[in-house]
Amino acid sequence: MKNKYKDDVDENGYPLDKGYLEVGLPSILQESIDKMKVTNQLIKEGKQCLD
């Protein structure tokens, strides 16, 4: 199977970067994803997040 994408791909030919799944989402979902990203970064840094 030929790769459809230029970047690194998994065994099925889909990109490892799943950012394309976030394109065109309703704003409320995008806001939620953005908050989760911030929270995950805080957790990785060992900080508490109580928002």
Side-chain angles (χ1 to χ4, degrees), residues 25-36:
L25 292 176
S27 61
I28 192 162
L29 289 177
Q30 189 61 55
E31 289 173 19
S32 180
I33 289 171
D34 292 342
K35 288 179 183 179
M36 286 188 281

Side-chain angles (χ1 to χ4, degrees), residues 11-29:
E11 64 276 0
N12 296 315
Y14 294 103
L16 295 175
D17 178 10
K18 303 298 184 198
Y20 70 93
L21 297 172
E22 297 176 22
V23 175
L25 292 176
S27 61
I28 192 162
L29 289 177

